[in-house]
Amino acid sequence: MPDPRYPIGPFQYIPFENVSARQAAIAELRNLPALVRQAVANLTDAQLDTPYRTGGWTIRQLVHHIADSHLNAYTRFRLALTEDKPTIKPYDEVAWANLPDSHLPLAPSLSLLDNLHHRLTVLLELTPEAAFAREVIHPDSGTLSLDKLLQLYAWHGRHHLAHITHAPLG
């Protein structure tokens, strides 16, 4: 049985073979909000408040987490495109997921994802190919290129979408 924490496997960076592979990752980000909406569309409040695994976050927390995380991603991409190798600030994902707003209805985070991913994917589509080699420094993870960040956040979306779609909701 695969590890329920990583239903699609842990993140592995594999450099893009060509521009088409990068564009496919951007398309994944563009499509993520619709896929998340579809995955939660018919869930009851009780199902939304069900953990995706024992000891894991609820489906509701996962949706809010995706919005939180990808808001940070958007900022990180913009910093990398406007500053020389900026150091980005990590955040305590668990603490954020336990803040009181993680119990709100999903509509605000779903709307945020729609608009955020629109801005992010337009930015990435208009970014010159050479700029994807630009880097940020993450205090815990080290130096990350924009290509690696792009792959990471595309994986992150698939990762949590799999948590939602594979959750034991009865």
Side-chain angles (χ1 to χ4, degrees):
M1 176 178 184
D3 186 339
R5 294 174 302 164
Y6 298 98
I8 63 168
F11 174 70
Q12 294 181 339
Y13 175 63
I14 301 167
F16 290 119
E17 294 179 12
N18 51 46
V19 174
S20 299
R22 183 181 297 120
Q23 291 170 341
I26 295 169
E28 279 190 68
L29 288 176
R30 182 184 316 105
N31 296 329
L32 180 66
L35 294 173
V36 172
R37 276 184 186 281
Q38 181 182 358
V40 300
N42 297 313
L43 299 183
T44 66
D45 277 336
Q47 290 172 319
L48 290 172
D49 294 327
T50 300
Y52 75 93
R53 67 173 174 86
T54 301
W57 290 338
T58 67
I59 303 305
R60 186 182 310 276
Q61 285 174 302
L62 284 169
V63 173
H64 293 309
H65 165 72
I66 296 167
D68 291 342
S69 176
H70 290 210
L71 185 60
N72 276 280
Y74 177 71
T75 301
R76 292 168 176 180
F77 279 104
R78 294 182 71 82
L79 287 169
L81 290 168
T82 59
E83 298 179 17
D84 186 30
K85 216 170 188 179
T87 298
I88 56 176
K89 184 170 181 355
Y91 66 101
D92 185 339
E93 296 175 348
V94 173
W96 282 40
N98 288 314
L99 288 171
D101 65 337
S102 68
H103 301 288
L104 286 172
L106 298 183
S109 285
L110 292 171
S111 293
L112 175 61
L113 280 172
D114 288 336
N115 293 297
L116 180 63
H117 278 241
H118 175 76
R119 289 280 308 270
L120 176 58
T121 57
V122 168
L123 174 66
L124 294 172
E125 289 167 345
L126 297 174
T127 296
E129 184 175 346
F132 283 91
R134 294 183 65 88
E135 297 173 325
V136 297
I137 300 169
H138 189 289
D140 299 327
S141 305
T143 302
L144 307 167
S145 69
L146 286 188
D147 267 341
K148 189 168 186 177
L149 279 179
L150 173 55
Q151 274 193 27
L152 177 64
Y153 285 104
W155 171 87
H156 185 260
R158 288 191 313 273
H159 168 71
H160 287 306
L161 185 61
H163 285 149
I164 295 166
T165 59
H166 293 90
L169 299 177

